[in-house]
Amino acid sequence: MGAARWWGAEMGRLALWLGGIRRLLSALLLLVTPPLAALETVDGVRTLRSADVQQVDYPTVQAVHAMGQSLHRQSGGKLAIQVYSAALLGDEATLLQLTRSGELDLNRVSAQALEDVFPLIRVLSLPFLVRDVDHLNRVLDGPIGAELLGAMNGKGLVALAFFEAGGRSICTVSHPVRRPEDLKGLRIRVPPSALASAVFEAWGARPIKLPFSQTGNALATHLIDAAENNLLAYASAEHHRHAPWLTLTHHSFSPEVLVMSRRSWDALSGAEQAMLRRAAREARPMMRDMWQQREERVEALLRLGGVSFVDIPPAERARFEAALRPLYARFVGSPEQRRLIARIRALR
């Protein structure tokens, strides 16, 4: 390894270490502060705290802001939501733990992060099961979506709503990916999901589990060679500055989930709980429209900025899919999961 690359790698490790310390301090600060939902109201207003790892202008963050406005209006000013964005209070795993323990009230989390807590939700992350965004919306907006939300009530959580997250694609630092062989040996960032790791191992890559907030530094310093996420996350975190090839695999349409601490939920009255569910329902179509409009705008800007969007020919896409078929037997173990897969496939 050359001196410049060695120095860059060392600086990258230092940046990741410092980032971890910052998030730990933020989490400790939150831990020593009692959850606001359990406190007496301040100036007549009870404020629920919500967190997200994405930036303030990201559609999921804006959706929860809109929820707060709706909740404030419905409650006559007695309830509000304070949103902490940009991983201010920690990475996704930390935020989920804080929500389950009741130290955080609301949390927008990826469905992938909930797979170990609620195995049934893993079905939504299975590769190439959901065909496109329209198919996903039909799944989430109907009985299947309602049943899955109900299945995520427990383990210290109450699931309020699904949010769209687009199709997940692969960004690379040094060369485009057009066939499975192009991934061989690449160190790719994946979320903390056994299924996500298995997908890229099947394609010959070396999955590296990293918090989303550390991915940009890891790409910049060549600690990793690639990452995978949806288009808006790729752009919002500026991963395109270091990984200018984006291969549109759309291998998963795993959604986001807005969850609430059971402890905070139980501290609300029945009427307040109904208001919160109503606010979540109202925020979904707004978030969906915002996502679609922003995707179109972001893609145009990225193309102008030099990002190469790589489409996969049908024959190669079939090879990508074929390499992953054995994963269904490995990750689908219960009859309930198998029935859910059949229902999703049958939905037109």
Side-chain angles (χ1 to χ4, degrees):
M1 180 184 293
R5 184 166 182 177
W6 175 86
W7 180 252
E10 291 303 307
M11 290 300 97
R13 292 187 182 95
L14 177 60
L16 294 179
W17 181 78
L18 290 174
I21 293 296
R22 178 182 63 82
R23 283 182 292 277
L24 177 60
L25 291 174
S26 297
L28 289 173
L29 178 63
L30 183 61
L31 281 169
V32 299
T33 306
L36 292 178
L39 299 177
E40 294 180 0
T41 57
V42 177
D43 295 329
V45 181
R46 175 181 288 177
T47 301
L48 305 174
R49 293 179 298 180
S50 181
D52 200 309
V53 298
Q54 298 292 355
Q55 299 298 315
V56 67
D57 61 344
Y58 200 77
T60 56
V61 178
Q62 290 300 306
V64 179
H65 275 296
M67 277 183 60
Q69 294 170 1
S70 173
L71 191 62
H72 193 261
R73 183 176 61 253
Q74 291 182 64
S75 66
K78 295 180 180 179
L79 290 173
I81 298 175
Q82 173 68 47
V83 184
Y84 297 88
S85 57
L88 181 64
L89 300 181
D91 59 34
E92 195 167 59
T94 299
L95 296 178
L96 182 58
Q97 181 180 354
L98 293 173
T99 308
R100 293 180 67 186
S101 67
E103 306 302 325
L104 182 65
D105 302 307
L106 292 160
N107 177 208
R108 191 285 308 162
V109 65
S110 71
Q112 290 178 318
L114 294 170
E115 291 173 8
D116 291 337
V117 183
F118 304 109
L120 189 62
I121 199 70
R122 180 182 294 125
V123 168
L124 291 180
S125 299
L126 286 169
F128 300 113
L129 174 62
V130 174
R131 296 184 291 274
D132 51 34
V133 171
D134 288 340
H135 185 204
L136 176 66
N137 290 338
R138 288 194 295 276
V139 170
L140 299 183
D141 292 347
I144 294 176
E147 291 169 23
L148 285 172
L149 284 177
M152 290 185 287
N153 290 335
K155 309 292 181 66
L157 297 173
V158 174
L160 297 179
F162 282 113
F163 289 150
E164 182 180 316
R168 300 181 77 89
S169 295
I170 301 168
C171 66
T172 46
V173 172
S174 61
H175 64 267
V177 170
R178 293 189 171 90
R179 54 187 188 144
E181 290 80 2
D182 294 331
L183 282 164
K184 186 174 179 59
L186 290 189
R187 295 163 299 176
I188 184 166
R189 181 268 172 183
V190 296
S193 157
L195 174 58
S197 292
V199 165
F200 286 95
E201 287 171 350
W203 285 338
R206 294 167 53 194
I208 307 293
K209 293 180 180 179
L210 280 177
F212 175 76
S213 57
Q214 297 180 18
T215 305
N217 281 334
L219 287 169
T221 57
H222 301 282
L223 293 178
I224 56 175
D225 310 299
E228 62 91 47
N229 217 311
N230 62 64
L231 177 63
L232 296 194
Y234 169 70
S236 178
E238 299 188 339
H239 294 168
H240 60 284
R241 295 183 180 275
H242 315 295
W245 283 278
L246 187 66
T247 299
L248 303 176
T249 49
H250 291 165
H251 51 275
S252 172
F253 285 85
S254 182
E256 315 281 10
V257 188
L258 181 67
V259 294
M260 185 169 187
S261 165
R262 167 61 70 175
R263 177 177 169 184
S264 301
W265 176 261
D266 289 343
L268 299 175
S269 68
E272 290 170 333
Q273 291 172 354
M275 291 177 196
L276 192 57
R277 287 199 183 277
R278 188 178 306 115
R281 287 197 304 271
E282 291 173 354
R284 285 176 56 199
M286 181 279 288
M287 182 270 170
R288 190 172 293 173
D289 289 344
M290 185 179 180
W291 187 282
Q292 182 177 354
Q293 293 170 17
R294 187 168 179 184
E295 262 198 345
E296 294 170 356
R297 184 171 67 254
V298 162
E299 180 175 345
L301 290 173
L302 289 177
R303 288 183 184 275
L304 287 173
V307 171
S308 297
F309 285 74
V310 182
D311 291 312
I312 301 176
E316 290 299 331
R317 179 170 292 277
R319 295 183 63 231
F320 274 100
E321 292 187 28
L324 303 183
R325 287 190 191 118
L327 298 186
Y328 276 66
R330 177 177 166 189
F331 287 94
V332 178
S334 72
E336 189 178 15
Q337 287 175 318
R338 288 192 288 270
R339 286 193 295 270
L340 182 58
I341 290 170
R343 291 172 65 193
I344 291 173
R345 283 176 170 157
L347 195 60
R348 299 296 174 184

